[in-house]
Amino acid sequence: MEKILRGMMETMNSVRPPRMTALRQLHDVENGRPFAILIGTILSARTKDENTTKVVRDLFLHYKTVDELASAKIRDVEKIIRSIGFYHVKAKRIIEVAKIIKSQYNGKVPEDMDKLITLPGVGRKTANCVLVYAFEKPAIPVDTHVHRISNRLGLVSTKTPEETELALMEKIPKKHWLEINDTFVMYGQNICKPVSPMCDVCKIKKLCKYYSTSAS
């Protein structure tokens, strides 16, 4: 696995140093603040990274704490986040999440998968993102990029992101889990794209099931 991760980074740096993912950028800007990462991850669903980054920044300029967002009016939040997809639903959800964290968890985001997935709009992918980017706990968030690349490489043979997560957890040593989402997402955005992947520049193509099949 280490050879794959290093090969991905070498490929990207040789072509063009990749920009940080939205979650990595959010982690750095917010100093790993769990509440900001949780809300940012909820808002990022079906939204481009650059748009997510801007909206989250604007949101936390207005609502700096859990208490402030819990007390916000839906229409005011909608005005701030209206450039992202499903902003009506997301505005309601993040206020609900803030209220639950305030009332049930003393204003602190839980560090536990089972508790995280009880929050409105939080599934396993979002919960895993919070564990990785907020708490640096070993987990494997699986989005479309991680799912696609894992199957292309032949690491797994799965139909859904949920299946991919479980398969990767069984196959990959835990010491690599923290790197997987960040590296695979950057690779999926820059090199191993959904259409016309850049196999010619890929430094791990000899390890790739997709390449060996398409090249033959």
Side-chain angles (χ1 to χ4, degrees):
M1 193 63 215
E2 185 162 349
K3 189 173 183 180
I4 289 173
L5 291 168
R6 297 292 80 77
M8 286 180 174
M9 291 306 302
E10 288 174 13
T11 301
M12 288 187 285
N13 287 326
S14 69
V15 176
R16 182 177 60 194
R19 71 174 190 276
M20 287 188 292
T21 62
L23 287 175
R24 176 56 57 190
Q25 191 171 15
L26 180 61
H27 171 276
D28 293 350
V29 169
E30 294 289 340
N31 297 314
R33 187 161 67 103
F35 183 63
I37 290 170
L38 171 60
I39 298 301
T41 306
I42 294 172
L43 293 176
S44 70
R46 302 183 190 179
T47 303
K48 292 182 178 179
D49 278 5
E50 54 270 24
N51 202 7
T52 298
T53 301
K54 179 182 182 303
V55 165
V56 173
R57 182 179 65 243
D58 292 346
L59 180 71
F60 284 109
L61 285 174
H62 289 82
Y63 306 104
K64 295 180 173 61
T65 65
V66 174
D67 288 359
E68 288 179 5
L69 186 56
S71 302
K73 295 179 180 178
I74 291 178
R75 65 176 178 271
D76 292 335
V77 173
E78 286 179 344
K79 289 178 183 177
I80 298 170
I81 71 168
R82 65 181 303 130
S83 64
I84 66 174
F86 306 96
Y87 72 93
H88 289 298
V89 174
K90 290 179 181 178
K92 182 180 179 182
R93 278 182 179 167
I94 63 175
I95 292 172
E96 289 175 352
V97 166
K99 288 179 177 177
I100 292 170
I101 290 175
K102 177 183 177 181
S103 63
Q104 296 184 22
Y105 300 107
N106 299 315
K108 294 184 178 179
V109 176
E111 301 182 35
D112 176 84
M113 167 66 77
D114 292 336
K115 291 178 180 177
L116 284 167
I117 61 176
T118 66
L119 298 171
V122 177
R124 287 193 64 88
K125 189 196 86 170
T126 297
N128 279 326
C129 285
V130 174
L131 293 176
V132 168
Y133 291 96
F135 298 114
E136 296 188 353
K137 287 191 169 186
I140 305 178
V142 176
D143 68 350
T144 182
H145 297 295
V146 178
H147 177 61
R148 179 179 71 254
I149 293 173
S150 297
N151 276 277
R152 276 185 176 171
L153 284 171
L155 290 172
V156 301
S157 179
T158 53
K159 300 295 185 184
T160 68
E162 291 77 16
E163 291 177 359
T164 299
E165 179 196 347
L166 296 176
L168 290 175
M169 287 171 67
E170 288 183 3
K171 188 163 190 174
I172 296 175
K174 191 173 282 190
K175 66 181 181 179
H176 296 303
W177 288 9
L178 286 174
E179 292 182 76
I180 292 205
N181 182 262
D182 210 42
T183 306
F184 276 45
V185 170
M186 285 192 295
Y187 209 66
Q189 291 173 337
N190 293 277
I191 305 295
C192 195
K193 300 176 182 180
V195 179
S196 300
M198 299 167 63
C199 297
D200 56 325
V201 300
C202 179
K203 295 184 182 297
I204 58 170
K205 60 189 174 188
K206 291 183 179 179
L207 305 174
C208 178
K209 179 181 177 182
Y210 172 85
Y211 178 77
S212 64
T213 302
S214 62
S216 60

